[in-house]
Amino acid sequence: MSTRQLQKISKRMSSLPSGWTIVPLSEVVRIANGQVDPKRGDYKDLPHVGPENIESGTGRIHGVRTSKELGLKSGKYLFDEDAIVYSKIRPNLNKVCRPGFVGLCSADAYPMWPVNGISPDFLCYYMLSNMFVKQAVACSMRTGMPKINRDDLNTLWVICPSEAEQVAISSILASWDRTIELTERLIAEKLLYRKGLMQQLLTGKRRLPGFGKPVCGNQVPEGWKRLKTEEVFQNVSSKNCHGEIVLSVTQNEGIVLRANLDRKINMDHENTHTYKLVEPGDFVISLRSFQGGLEYSRFRGLVSPAYHVIRTKVKVSDDFYRHYFKSPEFIQRLKIATIGIRDGKQIRYDDFSFMRLPFPPVEEQCAIAKLIDAADIELKLLQDKLTALREQKKGLMQKLLTGKVRVKIEEENQ
């Protein structure tokens, strides 16, 4: 351990609560030695955990399969219900977990067992904390390799409260994890509900009160029309619009100001005379529309000349078609209409213009859009809540694991 590291630890020690210590990881864990043959009958039916199965920063495990299912041949580490599994590859990804079952793990990970009075749950939380990750990343950078070896891992320091506080801290953080997981589950359920809602409302298989009867199959709902796209939208191509802001067309965020993108895009602003003008309410057919639908613009600005800009020619609810052009039903039909289109190739407007679109009465369009918008608002609130919970937990971990916030421990026999 370097002099600088010792100085940092000494300084941190002076700020720790009474009874807390800082020790190297080697004093509180035993790291596995020796590997087993995953083809053997004793091991081939055991679940296998690799770095790809561990979720960054959370300790959750996904998509685990047995060694036999994966056809594994090279040596693996064996772990049991009490082990922690730590991925040594690219420590900045922060992949640590407590599987809680007997299994095998990749040679790119270390199984380890807590010793000398440290709680497995507490140690797992500590190894997921920013304090531990920063140390691991610093070690991997010194070696010039995107991984941390056993010797360096053993030198990383761990803050150890009393055993009672370790258990109490772990319990608090586990309750936050449960709240986060419940929120994630609720979001997943709401996404499924929204998908079903769109599928039913945008096809007339469900009708809102006062707008007629639902239909089955491919029937045209009462009061609806099926119009060619060219009867509802027109292709517009206004160029040489100097002085307008430049926009970017994205699948995840829709049409945004290019200046607001996190990534920098090099472009010569003198050549924007070839760019097309987009008005608020326009839709854009992008290079990836066959994957994610059409994008809606709330801005006035310029987009690449490689895109098609379409504008309504009759009265419609923009929001109805904003949802419809992102629906799975429309995207599937667009793929069929543009069969043969490959990634990076443009969709021809002529092919798109002959597609048939559902055209409910405008009043019903507005009502449908309003209900889907309400589902979107509810989802946005839940997603904001989830983001806040994750950030709050991160801050709480920092305070609890350093003793800046203490947990009240009830004394036995009190």
Side-chain angles (χ1 to χ4, degrees), residues 305-324:
Y307 302 148
H308 291 297
V309 179
I310 65 171
R311 186 172 298 159
T312 57
K313 56 197 295 189
V314 295
K315 185 178 180 181
V316 301
S317 163
D318 289 352
D319 289 331
F320 175 85
Y321 286 103
R322 175 171 59 85
H323 291 303
Y324 180 74

Side-chain angles (χ1 to χ4, degrees), residues 132-150:
F132 191 86
V133 174
K134 285 179 181 178
Q135 293 183 79
V137 170
C139 275
S140 67
M141 290 176 67
R142 283 202 304 271
T143 61
M145 296 288 289
K147 65 179 180 180
I148 183 167
N149 61 42
R150 183 186 299 262

Side-chain angles (χ1 to χ4, degrees), residues 170-404:
S170 300
S171 178
I172 290 171
L173 295 177
S175 69
W176 277 79
D177 282 340
R178 286 192 294 271
T179 302
I180 288 170
E181 287 180 29
L182 284 171
T183 306
E184 289 173 336
R185 203 174 303 156
L186 185 56
I187 288 173
E189 290 172 358
K190 294 292 183 183
L191 282 169
L192 283 175
Y193 168 76
R194 180 188 182 275
K195 182 179 179 180
L197 189 70
M198 289 180 66
Q199 185 178 20
Q200 291 180 320
L201 290 176
L202 296 173
T203 59
K205 292 176 182 176
R206 174 181 168 184
R207 304 290 293 276
L208 297 176
F211 289 110
K213 297 179 181 179
V215 296
C216 298
N218 294 320
Q219 293 177 314
V220 178
E222 180 186 351
W224 289 34
K225 299 176 182 176
R226 285 200 178 277
L227 302 179
K228 288 183 181 178
T229 303
E230 63 184 0
E231 296 180 74
V232 185
F233 294 93
Q234 57 186 324
N235 188 24
V236 294
S237 183
S238 301
K239 299 181 180 180
N240 293 307
C241 302
H242 303 290
E244 299 288 348
I245 59 173
V246 178
L247 305 173
S248 283
V249 182
T250 71
Q251 278 193 339
N252 294 332
E253 301 175 59
I255 297 177
V256 298
L257 305 181
R258 179 167 290 184
N260 290 349
L261 283 180
D262 291 335
R263 61 187 184 277
K264 292 183 178 179
I265 300 177
N266 293 323
M267 61 169 289
D268 185 351
H269 287 279
E270 294 181 358
N271 291 332
T272 57
H273 66 278
T274 63
Y275 280 46
K276 296 178 181 179
L277 180 67
V278 174
E279 298 278 6
D282 288 350
F283 291 88
V284 173
I285 306 174
S286 74
L287 299 178
R288 295 190 178 276
S289 286
F290 66 95
Q291 294 176 330
L294 276 57
E295 305 302 336
Y296 178 74
S297 181
R298 300 183 186 278
F299 302 100
R300 176 186 168 95
L302 303 177
V303 296
S304 165
Y307 302 148
H308 291 297
V309 179
I310 65 171
R311 186 172 298 159
T312 57
K313 56 197 295 189
V314 295
K315 185 178 180 181
V316 301
S317 163
D318 289 352
D319 289 331
F320 175 85
Y321 286 103
R322 175 171 59 85
H323 291 303
Y324 180 74
F325 286 148
K326 300 293 286 184
S327 68
E329 194 246 2
F330 171 76
I331 293 170
Q332 183 59 33
R333 291 181 59 222
L334 186 62
K335 286 180 181 178
I336 294 171
T338 56
I339 192 166
I341 294 293
R342 294 185 179 181
D343 191 20
K345 299 293 184 180
Q346 182 57 287
I347 296 172
R348 292 178 55 206
Y349 175 76
D350 289 345
D351 294 331
F352 171 74
S353 66
F354 283 97
M355 289 180 65
R356 294 278 179 177
L357 300 179
F359 193 87
V362 175
E363 185 181 358
E364 188 172 0
Q365 291 181 30
C366 294
I368 290 171
K370 186 176 180 180
L371 193 56
I372 299 174
D373 284 341
D376 286 343
I377 291 170
E378 188 176 11
L379 265 170
K380 178 66 165 56
L381 290 173
L382 284 171
Q383 287 162 345
D384 289 346
K385 177 184 177 181
L386 179 61
T387 299
L389 285 170
R390 287 172 173 165
E391 288 301 312
Q392 289 164 8
K393 184 203 164 189
K394 190 185 298 183
L396 186 62
M397 283 180 72
Q398 180 72 18
K399 292 176 181 178
L400 289 175
L401 296 172
T402 58
K404 291 178 181 178

Side-chain angles (χ1 to χ4, degrees), residues 79-151:
F79 63 83
D80 61 19
E81 299 92 336
D82 299 320
I84 292 171
V85 175
Y86 176 79
S87 173
K88 63 184 179 181
I89 303 297
R90 297 174 66 190
N92 61 300
L93 295 179
N94 193 12
K95 294 192 172 191
V96 192
C97 66
R98 269 208 74 198
F101 52 78
V102 177
L104 303 179
C105 77
S106 163
D108 290 331
Y110 291 125
M112 55 184 71
W113 288 265
V115 295
N116 296 333
I118 191 162
S119 156
D121 291 327
F122 174 83
L123 183 58
C124 190
Y125 278 121
Y126 190 86
M127 294 179 75
L128 284 166
S129 71
N130 286 336
M131 293 178 292
F132 191 86
V133 174
K134 285 179 181 178
Q135 293 183 79
V137 170
C139 275
S140 67
M141 290 176 67
R142 283 202 304 271
T143 61
M145 296 288 289
K147 65 179 180 180
I148 183 167
N149 61 42
R150 183 186 299 262
D151 291 338

